[in-house]
Amino acid sequence: AADAAAASSSDPPTHEPVPGLRVVLDVLSEAQHDRVVSWLLKTLEQGRAGALRGDTYAPIPDKWQKRNQSREMLQFGTYTHSNRVESFRDVAPMPPELKTVVACLQRAGVYDSTENENALPTSCTVNFYEKGQWIPPHIDNPAFDRPIVTVSLRSTQRMTLGRGGVFEETETRDEETQTSQENPKKLVTVVLPKRSAVVLRGAAADEYEHAIPPVLEPRVSLTFRALGDEKSPATKKRVARADAIRAQYRAERCKIREVNVRRGFGLVGPKGAVGRVGPLPEEVAAAEARRRAREGAVAAKREKKYSHAPAPSDAGGVCRASDAASPPSVSKSRAKKEAKKAAKAIAKRERREADARGPGASRALADDALEDENAGREGKRETLRAAPKSPKSFARSADGVTCVERRGKMRSCPPCPPELLESSSTVSANGGGDAKNATTAQSPSERISTKVIPRVELENVQRVYDAVAKQWHGTRYRAWSGVEDFVNRMNLRGALVADVGCGNGKNAPAVVRFGQTRGGAEVIGCDFSIPLLEICATERGDERVEAFAADAASLPMRSSCFDAALNIAVLHHASTSDRRRALVSETMRLLRVGGVALFYAWALEQETGGVSGHRFESQDVLVPFHKRAETVGKKKKEKTLSEDAEDGDRDRDQDAKVSEGEDQKVSPEDGAARVFQRYCHVYKEGELESLFDHLREWCRVDRVYYDCGNWCAEVTRVK
């Protein structure tokens, strides 16, 4: 009798409504269950600490955590995200502890005896559910061979299956299987006891969607699957069939939700899942009513301020049609702006009239000259209005998603005078001393030392950035999309990242943000512009971001201590080939073995996809930077016409001196508008990767690509 009872307890329950579904009870003993759960919880803590290989540990994405969807996962053998297989992700193979569970499944008859070794699972996804967490209805990726086997651990839970339709929250049932009679799609709820295995084959795996409602107790599940051959006819047929069924189910849900209240598994409130069931709670309804009343009051006030009824005319207070057609009056602030604008236009016209008259000229001649001038200007305006506008042009960034608008007007950048480059070894690294004394005091080998910052870099790079730091920060406030894509792909879990040439620290927030869900990340940056570093310290007030002053070609940091490095828009400011090679060597020296660095440098080829609007006349160029005049309060510093003319003469004289090789003196206290000349060495195709030729023994160039006017390289340290 005892044997008969034991046999009946292990018989799989039947599920006629779902063909191909089978539940096998007691596939693990209590002792085996406890050992596996203990090992899984210990491995989960290692994953949270960043101690597991690659992407083996997967946290809950922020967008799903807000509505209590999804769960923490450990993935062995194959990585999946949003039910998509991502074979490029690095995960650990299936460990012996999980292979032991597979052996137990074989002994329990989960896998048919006719199936060969190739049909056994090669991957396992471990799901850790906390109370209230759930996953939406889905069909497992058809790239996996069937069957799909899931083992339930720690608690008994439910699984809901159906062919499309809307999955509604249901009460807990004691029956093994129950069909919902209210839903025309006949949803089926299956109870999954602890230590049981559910097997999905045929229609249950390929036609029925399955979902996990909010779990009532902490649960762990092991989903075993084998990745099929994507080129085989069976896999191709299964993928095509799944795509067609998914499209059909999506269309059916759209029709249902057009006429019905959207329902789902989630809780009412901030962690609601895909909808709510029933009325809002009283406190939530009251808050919603207050919000709507407040928005209505604001809208009424705005309408009262800007909408004006037509004023009655003088004839008995009767409104005429002409009064009703008159434009409405404007607000006081708008009227003040219009009056100020009109006064400026009158003053400007009076100045032109005075200039046209000139000393000794008759008023009639001056008026004729002014009239001709106005007519000519008006003709030019009409021509510009009539001319068709050129369509906007965009360049796609390296992330493959972001589109950046290209500037329509190309500005030419003149070649750098040879005198500036020839005298590049005459200024010491601290920028002090006399150039002649420095030349005579140094030996030939010292003169070409890469630890000496050349004169052109001091005068036309460092001092320029010192002077324009505030304006530079106003337009460079976030990392480029290509840099964000690199940081996201690197999976910086508990990483230490070097930002060489960090400037105002615009790349640091991206590193910290992407590292938050992966154990955290810290950034150490350096730059040789003190004003930019001060902005970095002020704006990036984060204990995970540090910055200090240093020359990128001679970094005072230890070797082999960083997990990744960024070298963004720094290489094109190095004026000699020795300095450029030293700069890449120093950046790669900081990395540990396996660390990756990203290099960005301006490209000579701007016509193909550049967005800056520059056209370079040679590889060594001077790129103008137009510094705006500083303002005091809300009003700009007023200047007379004679002062404007003198400023224009000074700018032309300054440009002429720069072109002749003279120093570009920068006064930080000077608040006038200026044009500064930045030195840049732009790179032609193939030049950037050649900088790493002398590092081939311990560095590998993984990828070289073009991104919005820049040549980019991803380089890994291998020894």
Side-chain angles (χ1 to χ4, degrees), residues 466-517:
D466 289 349
V468 304
K470 292 183 179 179
Q471 182 177 334
W472 184 269
H473 172 64
T475 57
R476 279 82 173 174
Y477 52 87
R478 60 163 290 178
W480 295 336
S481 55
V483 178
E484 289 184 341
D485 178 66
F486 169 81
V487 172
N488 188 29
R489 286 188 287 109
M490 287 302 101
N491 295 317
L492 305 176
R493 184 177 293 115
L496 185 62
V497 181
D499 191 353
V500 180
C502 63
N504 61 348
K506 67 175 184 178
N507 298 318
V511 177
V512 173
R513 183 174 68 255
F514 285 114
Q516 281 180 345
T517 58

Side-chain angles (χ1 to χ4, degrees), residues 3 19 41 44 77 79 84 109 292 306 332 350 358 454 559 615:
D3 294 338
L41 295 178
L44 176 63
Y79 183 92
R84 295 190 300 269
R292 292 181 179 177
Y306 293 104
K332 292 182 179 180
E350 290 177 351
S559 302
R615 181 174 58 252

Side-chain angles (χ1 to χ4, degrees), residues 187-492:
L187 300 182
V188 176
T189 299
V190 179
V191 176
L192 305 178
K194 188 175 88 172
R195 299 187 293 112
S196 68
V198 59
V199 186
L200 301 180
R201 281 188 173 90
D206 297 331
E207 297 180 11
Y208 279 79
E209 294 180 311
H210 59 275
I212 301 296
V215 300
L216 305 178
E217 298 293 338
R219 174 182 185 250
V220 179
S221 67
L222 311 177
T223 299
F224 293 97
R225 296 175 292 194
L227 191 63
D229 183 8
E230 61 181 7
K231 297 182 180 179
S232 68
T235 302
K236 292 180 179 179
K237 181 179 179 180
R238 188 167 57 243
V239 170
R241 181 186 180 191
D243 291 341
I245 292 176
R246 287 170 177 169
Q248 175 187 344
Y249 291 168
R250 281 195 299 268
E252 291 176 356
R253 286 195 180 95
C254 290
K255 292 181 180 179
I256 293 174
R257 285 169 179 163
E258 285 178 357
V259 295
N260 296 336
V261 177
R262 192 175 186 184
R263 299 173 181 270
F265 289 134
L267 305 173
V268 176
K271 288 189 176 181
V274 295
R276 61 181 178 84
V277 180
L280 287 170
E282 293 183 3
E283 62 275 10
V284 178
E288 182 71 11
R290 288 195 299 269
R291 182 186 66 80
R292 292 181 179 177
R294 184 168 58 252
E295 291 179 353
V298 171
K301 185 177 179 180
R302 185 184 299 111
E303 183 179 1
K304 181 179 179 181
K305 181 178 180 180
Y306 293 104
S307 63
H308 300 274
S313 64
D314 297 335
V318 179
C319 293
R320 296 190 298 266
S322 59
D323 295 330
S326 61
S329 59
V330 297
S331 62
K332 292 182 179 180
S333 60
R334 183 65 180 174
K336 288 181 179 180
K337 291 180 180 179
E338 294 293 341
K340 188 176 181 180
K341 186 176 179 181
K344 286 184 178 180
I346 293 173
K348 188 174 182 180
R349 185 171 66 251
E350 290 177 351
R351 286 197 300 269
R352 285 204 301 265
E353 291 176 355
D355 293 340
R357 284 194 297 270
S362 65
R363 180 63 180 267
L365 293 176
D367 292 342
D368 293 342
L370 182 60
E371 185 177 352
D372 294 341
E373 180 184 357
N374 291 338
R377 290 183 178 178
E378 188 62 29
K380 289 182 179 179
R381 292 195 189 99
E382 292 297 334
T383 303
L384 292 175
R385 293 193 194 102
K389 294 183 179 180
S390 58
K392 293 183 179 180
S393 176
F394 295 89
R396 191 174 297 276
S397 180
D399 62 355
V401 178
T402 308
C403 291
V404 183
E405 183 178 352
R406 301 178 62 182
R407 295 190 180 182
K409 184 178 180 181
M410 299 293 289
R411 294 166 292 180
S412 179
C413 299
C416 180
E419 304 85 62
L420 287 179
L421 299 176
E422 291 174 359
S423 59
S424 61
S425 62
T426 60
V427 180
S428 63
N430 57 13
D434 183 48
K436 294 183 179 179
N437 295 335
T439 304
T440 56
Q442 293 174 343
S443 64
S445 61
E446 291 173 337
R447 254 179 270 148
I448 62 173
S449 172
T450 57
K451 295 184 179 181
V452 175
I453 300 180
R455 172 184 173 181
V456 66
E457 295 181 31
L458 286 175
E459 298 293 341
N460 294 83
V461 181
Q462 183 185 38
R463 293 182 181 176
V464 172
Y465 283 117
D466 289 349
V468 304
K470 292 183 179 179
Q471 182 177 334
W472 184 269
H473 172 64
T475 57
R476 279 82 173 174
Y477 52 87
R478 60 163 290 178
W480 295 336
S481 55
V483 178
E484 289 184 341
D485 178 66
F486 169 81
V487 172
N488 188 29
R489 286 188 287 109
M490 287 302 101
N491 295 317
L492 305 176

Side-chain angles (χ1 to χ4, degrees), residues 601-623:
W602 229 340
L604 176 65
E605 303 85 356
Q606 291 292 313
E607 290 78 7
T608 56
V611 297
S612 65
H614 292 96
R615 181 174 58 252
F616 303 121
E617 298 182 6
S618 69
Q619 285 194 261
D620 293 292
V621 292
L622 293 178
V623 182

Side-chain angles (χ1 to χ4, degrees), residues 702-714:
D702 297 324
R703 185 185 178 202
V704 178
Y705 53 94
Y706 184 92
D707 181 20
C708 296
N710 299 276
W711 284 114
C712 316
E714 296 177 12

